Amino acid sequence: MKTTPAKLSQVIDQNPGALVWVSGDETLLVNEACDAFRQEALKQGYLQREVNHVDAKTDMQAILSSANTLS
């Protein structure tokens, strides 16, 4: 789902626990969006996050293994 900064809090409320991909040309807006998702996740009891930076050398099997781990 594509959204705007103005509607971000509504999207967060409607999609708790969703996988989120944040991107954009404005670094400040991207950082603010990420901060908003992290704050909401903390309120909902999520205590851990994982960040993956993907490039040509990334081991995709490691990322998939991590995604399939339910602990």
Side-chain angles (χ1 to χ4, degrees):
M1 166 190 297
K2 188 174 180 179
T3 190
T4 63
K7 295 181 181 178
L8 184 59
S9 63
Q10 180 182 3
V11 170
I12 294 170
D13 290 341
Q14 293 174 350
N15 300 285
L19 174 66
V20 178
W21 179 301
V22 179
S23 67
D25 296 328
E26 297 291 331
T27 304
L28 177 62
L29 293 177
V30 168
N31 288 339
E32 288 176 347
C34 290
D35 289 344
F37 276 105
R38 282 192 291 272
Q39 288 174 355
E40 186 59 31
L42 283 172
K43 283 187 216 173
Q44 294 179 19
Y46 292 91
L47 302 175
Q48 183 178 346
R49 76 178 183 140
E50 184 172 325
V51 178
N52 295 294
H53 297 279
V54 179
D55 61 19
K57 297 178 183 178
T58 300
D59 179 5
M60 292 305 294
Q61 281 298 67
I63 291 176
L64 291 173
S65 292
S66 177
N68 288 324
T69 302
L70 299 177
S71 61

